[in-house]
């Protein structure tokens, strides 16, 4: 199959990720933490190279030493101990990087560091777009570009015989913004393909479990009701055997569309596999969820069974789904 060929090629290209040390780090912490720590290590190495130069000022030497210490410590915490970094660490890294870039472009005579400041902008834009919401990434990157642009314009590297001209600065800003938008687009596509069921448009099992986990934490933390229903089509195999899989697919798409259109915008429909679905209903008690299922089944074009469970303080996603699944089988037997 083509898909298998692609997966085999990708696995070959990423063989370096299978080293035991890297694999253990990836298993203990998040991708965000690994990428952030790796970027910080990169900046730490640049700081070491900066310290080795003889013509830097006292302030730049202190700045470089501080960068090396902070970056190496955070990298060791992630790589050595599997610490998961909070999201504010990445924001802090972006802010500090922008301030340092502004300094080298506007107040320093270090030509190499000024060039590096512009060269690193696309990397920071891709990082911003991948790990933070699109609106926050766009606003944050706009502020960074404006600040760095002002520093570059008033700094010693612009002018008739300066290192940068208007075209250079505008080109660097546009390329960084292009990287930002490309990252936002790729993130959206990857999440959409990874979490959506292609046939029905509902969330797939992975997407539904992730969304349910998030809503479950919120409901328990704030003491709000949250119910989950498991829905399973009756005698669906006979449709596939008698009328063909195309007819079965049409029923799945029709029912899913019906469930979505007759539910609230906050209710989430997920396809757990085959003809088994689930519905996540925030701010909904057990009795309210049962009433909603009764109403939905009145309009069903194909019979289906259902079971409902409400989240309790000690519940996990798996335990709630298991209770709803048992209730669904009781309904099916009945």
């Amino acid at each position: 199959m083509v898909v298998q060929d692609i997966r085999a090629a990708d696995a070959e290209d990423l063989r370096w990720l299978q080293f035991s040390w890297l694999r253990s780090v990836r298993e203990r912490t998040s991708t965000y933490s690994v990428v952030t720590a790796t970027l910080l290590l990169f900046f730490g190495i640049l700081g070491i190279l900066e310290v080795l130069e003889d013509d830097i000022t006292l302030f730049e030497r202190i700045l470089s030493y501080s960068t090396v210490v902070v970056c190496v410590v955070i990298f060791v915490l992630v790589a050595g101990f599997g610490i998961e970094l909070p999201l504010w660490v990445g924001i802090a890294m972006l802010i500090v990087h922008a301030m340092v870039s502004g300094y080298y472009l506007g107040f320093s005579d270090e030509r190499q560091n000024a060039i590096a400041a512009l060269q690193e902008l696309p990397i920071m834009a891709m990082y911003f777009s991948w790990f933070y919401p699109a609106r926050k990434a766009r606003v944050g990157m706009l502020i960074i570009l404006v600040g760095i642009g002002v520093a570059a314009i008033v700094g010693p590297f612009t002018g008739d015989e300066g290192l940068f001209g208007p075209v250079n600065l505008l080109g660097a800003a546009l390329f960084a913004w292009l990287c930002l938008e490309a990252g936002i687009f790729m993130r959206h596509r990857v999440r959409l393909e990874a979490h959506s069921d292609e046939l029905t448009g509902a969330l797939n099992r992975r997407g539904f479990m992730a969304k349910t986990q998030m809503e479950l934490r919120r409901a328990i933390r704030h003491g709000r009701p949250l119910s989950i229903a498991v829905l399973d089509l009756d005698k669906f195999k006979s449709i596939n055997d008698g009328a063909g899989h195309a007819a079965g697919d049409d029923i799945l798409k029709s029912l899913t569309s019906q469930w979505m259109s007759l539910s609230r915008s906050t209710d989430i429909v997920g396809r757990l596999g085959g003809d088994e679905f689930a519905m996540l209903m925030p701010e909904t008690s057990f009795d309210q969820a049962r009433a909603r299922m009764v109403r939905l089944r009145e309009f069903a074009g194909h019979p289906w069974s259902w079971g409902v469970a409400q989240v309790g303080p000690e519940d996990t996603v798996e335990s709630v789904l298991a209770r709803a699944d048992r209730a669904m089988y009781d309904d099916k037997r009945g």
Side-chain angles (χ1 to χ4, degrees):
M1 292 178 62
V2 177
V3 174
Q4 291 177 338
D5 292 340
I6 293 174
R7 288 175 179 171
D10 288 345
E12 184 69 22
D13 294 339
L14 298 177
R15 179 176 291 180
W16 62 275
L17 288 174
Q18 299 306 315
F19 289 123
S20 58
W21 173 71
L22 281 174
R23 190 166 60 247
S24 65
V25 173
R26 289 165 54 212
E27 291 172 352
R28 287 182 294 166
T29 188
S30 62
T31 302
Y32 157 77
S33 297
V34 173
V35 173
T36 303
T38 303
L39 270 179
L40 289 172
L41 178 64
F42 167 72
F43 293 136
I45 294 173
L46 293 182
I48 293 174
L49 297 177
E50 181 74 9
V51 170
L52 297 177
E53 296 183 4
D54 298 328
D55 58 343
I56 63 174
T57 65
L58 177 61
F59 173 76
E60 291 169 352
R61 190 172 296 277
I62 295 174
L63 180 64
S64 298
Y65 275 121
S66 302
T67 300
V68 171
V69 171
V70 172
C71 293
V72 171
V73 167
I74 295 178
F75 178 80
V76 170
L77 288 175
V78 173
F81 300 95
I83 300 297
E84 184 164 352
L85 300 176
L87 288 176
W88 64 262
V89 173
I91 296 293
M93 179 184 70
L94 289 164
I95 294 174
V96 173
H97 180 270
M99 294 173 63
V100 172
S101 298
Y103 167 77
Y104 281 119
L105 285 166
F107 305 96
S108 173
D109 58 355
E110 292 285 337
R111 296 166 63 91
Q112 292 182 343
N113 290 341
I115 295 173
L118 293 183
Q119 290 177 330
E120 292 163 5
L121 278 176
I123 300 175
M124 307 311 286
M126 290 292 290
Y127 174 87
F128 217 155
S129 66
W130 193 261
F131 293 112
Y132 295 92
R135 180 177 298 178
K136 182 181 293 186
R138 288 190 176 107
V139 172
M141 201 63 203
L142 179 62
I143 294 173
I144 289 174
L145 290 177
V146 170
I148 290 178
V150 171
I153 290 172
V154 302
F157 300 111
T158 55
D160 295 336
E161 299 181 358
L163 182 63
F164 304 120
V167 175
N168 301 123
L169 297 178
L170 181 61
L174 290 177
F175 185 66
W177 196 267
L178 177 64
C179 291
L180 178 79
E181 293 298 331
I184 292 173
F185 174 78
M186 290 302 299
R187 182 190 185 199
H188 173 73
R189 292 299 306 173
V190 167
R191 294 183 66 184
L192 186 66
E193 293 173 3
H195 291 171
S196 297
D197 177 58
E198 185 177 2
L199 175 65
T200 63
L203 292 181
N204 60 19
R205 187 179 187 90
R206 175 190 294 178
F208 184 81
M209 296 294 280
K211 180 66 175 178
T212 303
Q213 182 66 55
M214 183 178 68
E215 289 293 335
L216 184 141
R217 287 198 298 264
R218 185 190 68 83
I220 293 178
R221 183 169 60 249
H222 297 291
R224 304 302 300 170
L226 173 67
S227 295
I228 298 176
V230 171
L231 305 86
D232 189 87
L233 277 63
D234 297 330
K235 300 179 181 179
F236 184 69
K237 186 176 183 302
S238 62
I239 299 294
N240 284 332
D241 293 341
H245 288 280
D249 290 347
D250 288 340
I251 290 176
L252 292 177
K253 290 187 288 187
S254 175
L255 281 175
T256 306
S257 176
Q258 189 179 71
W259 292 332
M260 291 178 178
S261 63
L262 295 177
S263 301
R264 302 170 303 175
S265 59
T266 54
D267 295 337
I268 304 296
V269 177
R271 186 183 182 188
L272 303 183
D275 60 334
E276 185 178 21
F277 293 79
M279 183 179 292
L280 179 67
M281 293 171 280
E283 301 294 333
T284 305
S285 66
F286 179 80
D287 292 335
Q288 291 171 330
R290 286 179 57 88
R292 191 164 300 157
M293 291 299 105
V294 171
R295 183 173 65 88
L296 287 178
R297 193 155 64 175
E298 291 177 356
F299 299 97
H302 180 88
W304 46 272
S305 302
W306 56 271
V308 168
Q310 183 174 341
V311 170
E314 305 299 326
D315 265 321
T316 63
V317 176
E318 291 76 13
S319 64
V320 180
L321 280 173
R323 290 207 312 275
D325 196 56
R326 288 194 297 270
M328 181 273 296
Y329 277 107
D330 290 340
D331 181 57
K332 189 178 289 286
R333 285 191 294 267

